[in-house]
Amino acid sequence: MTAMYGPDLTFLGVPACDLRDPASWSDAEVVILGAPYDGGTSYRAGARFGPGAIRQACYLPHDGRRPSLALGVDGLRDLRVKDAGDVEMFSGDAHASHAALEHAVHTIAAAGKIPFVLGGDHSIALPNVTGVARAAGWGRVSIMHFDAHADTGESSFGSLIGHGQPMRRLIESGAARGDRFLQIGLRGYWPGPETLRWMAGQRMRSYEMTEVVERGLDTCLAEASAIAVDDCDGVYLSVDIDVVDPGMAPGTGTPEPGGLTSRELLDAVRRLAYELPIVGVEVVEVAPAHDHADVTAMLGSRVVLEALSGLARQRAERRDGREPWDPGRPLLPTA
């Protein structure tokens, strides 16, 4: 697989691999995959160009190295990250595109690697989580879902496949459990009462932004994390970039004012990747055509890096006996 749109680049210069050749990624712990699909959008399209934008959005050399100042690890090297390129996804054929993506994600997860999927619109959560669940266990993967929108609609324009429906489809299929579905950052004026009643009936836990502000993001994350690891074998992290206020992330298809700050999202992703048994990650809805000065693409790239760095630190502590990370420790030694 290669890039569907634009230059054939890997994420910040990490080594390329070919999923058809297992030997090319057998030593990797994380495999990055592009899902350039936006056939599920309900408003502004353009997320098909997200994978390419996320891969190249950085002012530093694309040398496959990114040592984290905060965590003291290099997520790209310590995890032996490789990039398998883009899955071929034609926006005019949702079923074929999703099937191809599900196969690719399952191939990675079944080999014991962690798939990091660069979207693409949020409809790709359906094949992504399904592919992971087929490998990790049906209904055994909890979902930590950052988004302005619940994505639990019944249908959109008569279609059951779209970026407003994947979470409902996952629960209906049994791939994910409603009572282990944690949503953070919801706000605005959708969905309506009927859909909210359906969500409540599935025992979903959704943290709307007023609750996040009132109780504090850290408190909400701690509560959600405790639910996520209870009676589940792994956690899938789904990040829709529109969870961030559009003043800091304008390049997305359905912007909703009043969201998290970019700082809050990065801290949250780093924390969850460091603390939880992550089995898959996706970053979706980056639409470069609606961006300004690449700020949304840059944020998407940093979300990926924070997740990788958190995972790398977690594994370094387990493998090497390093002392637990202290976020309050000064960067430089003090006298």
Side-chain angles (χ1 to χ4, degrees), residues 8 25 43 56 89 92 130 150 164 172 179 214 268 311-312 320 329:
D8 191 11
W25 50 281
Y43 186 45
Q56 60 185 309
M89 303 182 74
T130 301
E172 289 176 336
D179 63 350
E214 180 66 23
L311 276 169
D320 307 330
R329 178 177 297 170

Side-chain angles (χ1 to χ4, degrees), residues 52 61 135 156 186 189 246:
S156 180
L186 305 190
Y189 299 88

Side-chain angles (χ1 to χ4, degrees), residues 3-155:
M4 277 194 70
Y5 306 106
D8 191 11
L9 303 172
T10 65
F11 180 72
L12 303 183
V14 301
C17 67
D18 186 343
L19 288 187
R20 298 167 297 185
D21 177 15
S24 71
W25 50 281
S26 62
D27 61 334
E29 293 180 77
V30 169
V31 177
I32 292 175
L33 201 61
Y37 180 82
D38 59 13
T41 53
S42 58
Y43 186 45
R44 303 191 308 200
R48 71 181 68 182
F49 304 113
I54 293 171
R55 282 186 171 109
Q56 60 185 309
C58 190
Y59 56 86
L60 295 169
H62 287 212
D63 56 3
R65 297 178 64 252
R66 283 301 181 274
S68 168
L69 287 175
L71 289 159
V73 291
D74 188 327
L76 298 184
R77 291 198 168 186
D78 293 344
L79 290 175
R80 300 188 300 278
V81 178
K82 293 197 172 179
D83 192 330
D86 290 347
V87 175
E88 189 172 285
M89 303 182 74
F90 172 52
S91 287
D93 192 335
H95 291 282
S97 295
H98 279 203
L101 179 58
E102 181 183 328
H103 175 74
V105 171
H106 177 257
T107 297
I108 296 167
K113 320 297 183 183
I114 301 177
F116 269 57
V117 185
L118 313 179
D121 71 48
H122 218 161
S123 71
I124 67 169
L126 176 56
N128 288 341
V129 176
T130 301
V132 170
R134 285 175 53 205
W138 207 246
R140 301 301 302 168
V141 175
S142 60
I143 314 296
M144 294 286 283
H145 172 207
F146 288 82
D147 205 326
H149 311 98
D151 294 353
T152 50
E154 172 58 33
S155 66

Side-chain angles (χ1 to χ4, degrees), residues 172-219:
E172 289 176 336
S173 73
R177 292 165 49 179
D179 63 350
R180 293 298 180 273
F181 222 113
L182 297 310
Q183 301 183 309
I184 298 170
L186 305 190
R187 60 191 186 273
Y189 299 88
W190 185 89
E194 182 179 349
T195 300
L196 292 176
R197 284 193 294 271
W198 182 88
M199 293 166 62
Q202 309 306 310
R203 299 173 60 196
M204 298 178 72
R205 182 63 170 96
S206 302
Y207 295 84
E208 199 266 343
M209 276 303 299
T210 53
E211 181 182 359
V212 172
V213 171
E214 180 66 23
R215 299 181 62 202
L217 180 59
D218 285 345
T219 299

Side-chain angles (χ1 to χ4, degrees), residues 149-291:
H149 311 98
D151 294 353
T152 50
E154 172 58 33
S155 66
S156 180
F157 305 117
S159 175
L160 297 177
I161 298 178
H163 72 168
Q165 293 81 47
M167 308 317 174
R168 182 182 285 239
R169 301 286 94 87
L170 286 169
I171 293 172
E172 289 176 336
S173 73
R177 292 165 49 179
D179 63 350
R180 293 298 180 273
F181 222 113
L182 297 310
Q183 301 183 309
I184 298 170
L186 305 190
R187 60 191 186 273
Y189 299 88
W190 185 89
E194 182 179 349
T195 300
L196 292 176
R197 284 193 294 271
W198 182 88
M199 293 166 62
Q202 309 306 310
R203 299 173 60 196
M204 298 178 72
R205 182 63 170 96
S206 302
Y207 295 84
E208 199 266 343
M209 276 303 299
T210 53
E211 181 182 359
V212 172
V213 171
E214 180 66 23
R215 299 181 62 202
L217 180 59
D218 285 345
T219 299
C220 294
L221 288 176
E223 183 177 281
S225 295
I227 298 171
V229 298
D230 178 34
D231 195 33
C232 273
D233 301 322
V235 178
Y236 186 91
L237 180 59
S238 177
V239 179
D240 186 327
I241 209 69
D242 73 20
V243 74
V244 172
D245 190 274
M248 295 184 176
T252 192
T254 48
E256 182 64 52
L260 298 178
T261 68
S262 57
R263 178 71 268 159
E264 287 173 324
L265 177 61
L266 295 177
D267 286 346
V269 167
R270 177 204 296 150
R271 171 182 174 176
L272 297 179
Y274 172 65
E275 295 179 352
L276 301 180
I278 299 294
V279 292
V281 175
E282 66 187 13
V283 179
V284 302
E285 298 288 355
V286 172
H290 309 296
D291 209 358

